[in-house]
Amino acid sequence: MQRELEIIERLEKEQQIDLQGLEILITTQDEAAVGELAKRARETAQSIYGNKVYIRGLIEFTNYCKNDCLYCGIRRSNGNAERYRLSEEQILSCCATGYELGFRTFVLQGGEDAYFTDERICTLVAQIKKEYPDCAVTLSFGEKSRESYQAYFDAGADRYLLRHETANEAHYRELHPAEMSLKNRKRCLRDLKEIGYQTGCGFMVGSPYQTVETLYEDLMFIKELQPEMVGIGPFIPQKDTPFGDKEAGTMEMTLRLLSIIRLLHPHVLLPATTALGTIHPKGREKGILAGANVVMPNLSPVDVRDKYRLYDNKICTGDEAAECRYCMQRRMESIGYEVVTDRGDFIA
């Protein structure tokens, strides 16, 4: 364990890790070392955010997407996907329900859907901010021009989530169609930061063709970008995609990487994702205990939950918003954490 402990201590004290150190931490069979990694990450999160877990209300407002990413269940080539769009009234109704339940951040997530023009998005964001001025609005629907991002920001959007998926060019091409590029994805993230959004990036753990080297590039990109949020979760195959027969990522690897990210970038807002809860019944609790501090229950109408199928066997598709919210509160309390309903801004 001595070797692992030295790596963990450098990571904690200097926020530095090299490729060899990363490989040791993600492959070690020493359970005491893995426990120490999680403990240091948990203590780091608690030193900044206390035992608070921030709750975000997720509204999956469209599953139309122009892109054809090989891993994604709402890719445009998936003829088995049952498509839907929420109306502005439906989205505002989700916000009203969420507000009553104590949510003070709404996350509007969807595919890259041309129906939702900049004008529609700006009108929607402005209306949410008008009705709920004490709430943060987070957007997450892919790659846009700098002008579009600026317009949403000017309308009142506070945060934008855009997973980079991988920071390695060759790996990016393995996961995406030829018309998409890592260069443009990184351009989007840098534009978002420059405009003034609280910006989130992230990647799938265990995606096809991922290596220790590509993971190391991911961590170095996070260190360079200094995002306010990082979203990682295990790759879970979706049967109607080209990767439908690929092996899923693991909870164990995801937890180790959550801890490493917490120590590398201590102040980051770090979700324990739905995907983590999908591959293990206690996945989200374990994520919090590994250094995460955000959870995102679903506020989407129950009749569309199962249609936003990025991957198979997604949990909570039949639960009403209140069920999701109070279930999450009980889960977090069971491990000694408090779900808080304020905006939960990044603490610099």
Side-chain angles (χ1 to χ4, degrees):
M1 173 158 161
Q2 187 57 40
R3 182 181 58 167
E4 288 92 340
L5 197 55
E6 287 170 5
I7 297 164
I8 293 166
E9 286 187 345
R10 182 182 179 221
L11 186 53
E12 182 181 31
K13 288 175 181 167
E14 301 176 23
Q15 288 92 58
Q16 297 287 345
I17 192 168
D18 58 24
L19 177 60
Q20 183 185 19
L22 174 63
E23 184 162 20
I24 289 167
L25 290 187
I26 64 176
T27 59
T28 182
Q29 300 297 305
D30 188 324
E31 290 189 17
V34 176
E36 186 64 22
L37 176 64
K39 176 174 173 284
R40 301 280 185 104
R42 185 165 63 247
E43 289 171 351
T44 295
Q46 288 173 342
S47 72
I48 298 163
Y49 293 100
N51 73 331
K52 294 177 179 178
V53 173
Y54 296 104
I55 196 166
R56 318 291 201 210
L58 184 62
I59 304 169
E60 295 162 337
F61 69 98
T62 176
N63 73 345
Y64 283 85
C65 191
K66 70 175 188 181
N67 293 330
D68 220 12
C69 305
L70 278 74
Y71 50 82
C72 184
I74 64 169
R75 67 197 304 263
R76 71 163 185 265
S77 292
N78 184 3
N80 292 328
E82 191 180 344
R83 304 291 177 175
Y84 73 91
R85 293 184 180 106
L86 298 185
S87 66
E88 182 178 328
E89 292 71 28
Q90 285 175 301
I91 295 168
L92 291 170
S93 174
C94 292
C95 292
T97 300
Y99 195 84
E100 287 296 310
L101 291 170
F103 290 91
R104 294 298 179 265
T105 297
F106 302 119
V107 181
L108 272 57
Q109 184 176 81
E112 293 192 25
D113 181 356
Y115 171 83
F116 284 98
T117 59
D118 288 356
E119 185 179 0
R120 283 193 168 108
I121 293 292
C122 289
T123 300
L124 180 61
V125 169
Q127 190 61 34
I128 294 171
K129 294 295 279 196
K130 180 183 174 185
E131 293 186 24
Y132 310 104
D134 55 334
C135 292
V137 173
T138 301
L139 305 179
S140 181
F141 41 82
E143 298 178 3
K144 303 289 179 183
S145 68
R146 187 184 180 110
E147 292 72 24
S148 295
Y149 288 144
Q150 186 69 58
Y152 311 151
F153 188 78
D154 293 344
D158 303 276
R159 304 169 181 156
Y160 202 102
L161 306 177
L162 180 64
R163 284 188 172 187
H164 64 279
E165 300 302 0
T166 174
N168 177 275
E169 185 71 53
H171 189 211
Y172 193 91
R173 287 197 298 270
E174 296 273 17
L175 304 178
H176 299 91
E179 65 267 19
M180 295 180 72
S181 75
L182 178 60
K183 181 180 178 184
N184 191 56
R185 184 65 61 107
K186 287 183 173 180
R187 185 273 305 165
C188 289
L189 285 162
R190 293 190 175 107
D191 283 351
L192 290 163
K193 284 281 287 185
E194 288 170 12
I195 288 167
Y197 282 94
Q198 291 182 46
T199 303
C201 66
F203 56 89
M204 295 175 291
V205 178
S207 63
Y209 314 110
Q210 189 175 68
T211 64
V212 177
E213 288 77 14
T214 65
L215 280 171
Y216 184 70
E217 288 185 64
D218 288 325
L219 296 180
M220 292 304 101
F221 177 67
I222 289 167
K223 194 159 176 59
E224 173 203 339
L225 185 69
Q226 290 289 297
E228 286 74 22
M229 302 163 281
V230 172
I232 71 167
F235 163 72
I236 302 175
Q238 204 283 325
K239 61 182 175 54
D240 299 314
T241 68
F243 289 167
D245 60 351
K246 300 290 187 188
E247 192 174 335
T250 66
M251 180 182 69
E252 291 74 18
M253 180 74 82
T254 306
L255 296 176
R256 292 186 194 196
L257 284 162
L258 281 170
S259 297
I260 290 166
I261 290 167
R262 170 62 66 200
L263 294 174
L264 193 68
H265 189 19
H267 294 257
V268 74
L269 291 161
L270 194 59
T273 61
T274 302
L276 192 53
T278 296
I279 58 166
H280 190 281
K282 297 275 189 185
R284 287 168 296 182
E285 291 93 320
K286 289 176 181 289
I288 298 297
L289 293 171
N293 67 331
V294 175
V295 289
M296 298 205 292
N298 205 322
L299 290 176
S300 306
V302 170
D303 64 344
V304 303
R305 296 262 186 100
D306 195 43
K307 298 173 186 174
Y308 199 82
R309 198 177 298 181
L310 305 182
Y311 50 82
D312 287 335
N313 305 311
K314 184 176 161 191
I315 54 173
C316 300
T317 54
D319 293 351
E320 295 287 349
E323 290 179 86
C324 282
R325 188 250 184 268
Y326 291 114
C327 169
M328 191 67 73
Q329 181 171 330
R330 289 190 298 273
R331 284 173 174 273
M332 295 303 111
E333 287 172 350
S334 76
I335 56 171
Y337 281 77
E338 171 195 5
V339 165
V340 291
T341 56
D342 62 38
R343 287 167 45 122
D345 285 307
F346 175 79
I347 296 176

